Amino acid sequence: MKETEFSRKITWFSFIFSVLVVWTHSFNAELFLGDTVYGDRLNGIESLFGNLAAQIAVPGFFMISGYLFYRNFTWRRLGSKWMSRIRSVLVPYIVWNTLYYLAYAAGSRLPGITDLIGKGEIPFHLTAMADAMVNHTYLYVFWYLYQLILLILLAPVIYGLLKRPWTAAVYFAGLTAALWVGWDKTPLNGDALFYYSATAFLAMREEKPAEKEFSPKRRLAGAALMAVGAVSFWLAGRWGKPFFLVPCRFLAAAGLWLAVREDRLREPRPWMCCNFFLYATHFALVRLINKSAAAAFHLFWPLHADPKLWPEGMIPLLLYLMMPVIAVTASYWIGKCVKQLCPPLFGLLNGGRAG
């Protein structure tokens, strides 16, 4: 696979995963139809998209991050890798968490906005701000970046264990056993560690299966991985064992990567290259749009009138299905405006990425 094709494929997959993440946070049945039979039915319809999308969205991000960090990695490059991630991960993590806290704290004191936020009056002092900055208190989706920061800090340990095949085998056996028994008592999520480490291991090998040229055999291998992932998903539901979701998510994302022909992918459009900015802004956009639309909806169909799934319920369903398009468009233009008005601020918010 050519370097240009690899880079283009990374952008495409990052965009696809970003769109799926938007869907996982766009559920709106309860906002529109309340805790009713029709609300439950609409939630079930939306879950067909959202729950399936959630299976590979964030796991896919962990897989991409792990592969890119350890691609062409050596001990000498550890310092430069850490420095680049300080700019691209740590700094925007702190900046965005701070901005969200300030926005929530201010909004909770404004008439009309307080009810929309639904958190009461948020305390405004340094302790609360520090908590928000470190623990992503008001930017929930940044749990992914929190986990990624921990994984990046563990680079010397992960690299040392994965460099040699035999130590990697022992490491993955122990990690699999821990996931099987459900042991997860550290700040670091075991499944995130698995996704990240698995692609890190692949990136360290001389024969990189993820970068081989496309062939019918590769597509067949991708289809086989996705099929095994589907079986694993069935086992998770059949046995009620969360462990099976881990191989399901990994195999589905890996199989999709192998099955897609990189030479057929077009050059990404500008709005497809702002994935980090979209990830940081989409949650607030989605909640604002859904809550505002639900408030307008209830002017015509009050909850006490028990709005039906048809035709009233088609309004929130259509909004749910269109939310990725709305969020991508809004996020792109907001980012573009910020970039034109204050390029240094956009650089901080986007982690130095071009956008």
Side-chain angles (χ1 to χ4, degrees), residues 97-170:
N97 281 331
T98 303
L99 289 176
Y100 263 73
Y101 166 72
L102 294 175
Y104 269 96
S108 69
R109 289 165 169 78
L110 297 176
I113 304 297
T114 304
D115 295 335
L116 194 62
I117 293 176
K119 295 182 178 295
E121 186 173 305
I122 294 172
F124 183 69
H125 50 72
L126 289 179
T127 303
M129 180 182 291
D131 176 68
M133 289 169 59
V134 175
N135 297 314
H136 50 88
T137 310
Y138 299 97
L139 184 49
Y140 313 112
V141 297
F142 264 28
W143 71 267
Y144 159 70
L145 282 190
Y146 178 81
Q147 294 294 310
L148 187 57
I149 290 169
L150 296 178
L151 290 166
I152 292 169
L153 289 174
L154 287 174
V157 178
I158 294 175
Y159 181 67
L161 290 171
L162 298 182
K163 186 178 181 181
R164 296 175 180 82
W166 71 271
T167 56
V170 174

Side-chain angles (χ1 to χ4, degrees), residues 15 91 131 183 205 214 274:
F15 175 72
V91 171
D131 176 68
W183 184 85
R205 311 277 71 84
F214 178 82
C274 302

